[in-house]
Amino acid sequence: MSIFTAKTAVIRAVDAEVIGGGAATGRLLLDAGDTGGALSTLRMTLAEGADGATPHTHTTASELFYVLGGRLRVLSGEDVLTLEEGDMAVVPPHVAHAFAAAPGHGADLLIVITPGVERFDYFRLLDRLRRGEATLEELLASQERYDNHFVRSAAWDAR
């Protein structure tokens, strides 16, 4: 459970909801409702070669990727960047982006979306889809609700 006051939002590591597993594990940290709309954040751990997200855009939010460990590939527009431990990239609204562990590496990263969008139910939907408990149609129907709009990317496909 998170704690929010007018000054501080806190999530204890032991209280973070864990989703996924195997090649990609997410830890849901603070959602927009926890931070007064300031941001949404999660921690993703990707096994070697694992994909994190397919190409998509947000209309209102920027997405920050901070690499805690390993190496990460990030699509930003037509560029595919490789980030290493300690590196950070911020993708602005309307720019196509995606991420995956770099070839031969795993990745541990912090993702911050700002301003915050209530996104935890989106990540839960992705987890249900992975387990066969939701459909691709449900995911596609949720794009507007979660400001997550899937796009095609030749640059990402060519990586």
Side-chain angles (χ1 to χ4, degrees):
M1 168 180 273
S2 62
I3 303 164
F4 180 72
T5 67
K7 295 182 181 181
T8 306
V10 175
I11 181 72
R12 304 284 182 201
V14 298
D15 295 329
E17 179 181 346
V18 177
I19 60 169
T25 302
R27 287 167 185 79
L28 305 180
L29 301 175
L30 295 169
D31 212 355
D34 301 318
T35 65
L39 57 87
S40 302
T41 188
L42 70 146
R43 182 176 181 172
M44 289 291 303
T45 304
L46 303 173
E48 183 177 325
D51 282 332
T54 60
H56 62 282
T57 64
H58 306 295
T59 60
T60 61
S62 295
E63 191 160 355
L64 176 148
F65 301 92
Y66 179 76
V67 181
L68 299 166
R71 294 181 72 176
L72 184 72
R73 286 257 176 105
V74 176
L75 170 71
S76 178
E78 294 302 313
D79 298 321
V80 178
L81 314 168
T82 300
L83 305 177
E84 299 181 0
E85 183 176 330
D87 292 349
M88 180 172 58
V90 179
V91 181
H94 302 287
V95 175
H97 56 286
F99 65 94
H105 298 272
D108 186 15
L109 62 145
L110 181 69
I111 300 170
V112 179
I113 301 166
T114 185
V117 176
E118 289 292 330
R119 300 272 307 205
F120 285 6
D121 282 342
Y122 170 75
F123 296 118
R124 292 176 185 121
L125 173 60
L126 287 177
D127 195 41
R128 289 194 348 263
L129 181 65
R130 179 189 63 83
R131 293 191 315 261
E133 299 169 1
T135 66
L136 183 58
E137 290 75 22
E138 287 177 83
L139 181 63
L140 294 175
S142 76
Q143 292 181 93
E144 200 64 41
R145 178 178 177 199
Y146 298 116
D147 189 23
N148 198 88
H149 308 276
F150 298 106
V151 296
R152 300 295 308 219
S153 170
W156 191 247
D157 291 344
R159 72 184 156 100

